[in-house]
Amino acid sequence: MSLLQAITSDLWVQVAFGIFIIGLVFALSRRPINPASRKRAIAVLWAVCLGVLAIWIMRQQALVLSGGHLSSTEQPVAVAIKGTVRYVTQDLAYRHTYSMWVLLLFGLGFAALYKAARVGHEA
């Protein structure tokens, strides 16, 4: 549970999840009526979500390279990056290690939303 909590507690991931929820509302509410506009809106939301997640991933890399924020109560974890080993907190190690999986899950989610936004008579 610590892994899931470490990833979902980050503000950037919460913003990306909020964008995903907005896309879910667009896809399921069938608004706007025009399916091309609906698909375009979902594609724009995916681009914004991709930008948010890209910023988050680069921040995780920068935090790991700088050594992260270690508190005295946590045992540091070794993370190998760019040929060096940095010691960071467990949460930062989880976020850095699984950041690409988060990006993949949001990508698959938006692909499913794009498919759900179709209308019945489309080919």
Side-chain angles (χ1 to χ4, degrees), residues 12-22 49 106:
W12 292 91
V13 175
Q14 292 173 1
V15 169
F17 189 70
I19 294 169
F20 180 78
I21 296 299
I22 292 169
C49 186
F106 275 103

Side-chain angles (χ1 to χ4, degrees), residues 75-99:
Q75 182 70 23
V77 177
V79 175
I81 183 171
K82 294 188 177 183
T84 62
V85 175
R86 303 290 184 184
Y87 292 94
V88 297
T89 62
Q90 184 70 46
D91 288 349
L92 185 56
Y94 280 148
R95 290 175 186 157
H96 179 262
T97 303
Y98 293 101
S99 60

Side-chain angles (χ1 to χ4, degrees), residues 8 21 23-24 28-30 70 76 82-83 88 95 101:
T8 57
I21 296 299
L24 182 66
L28 297 181
S29 70
R30 303 288 184 186
L70 288 176
K82 294 188 177 183
V88 297
R95 290 175 186 157
W101 284 104

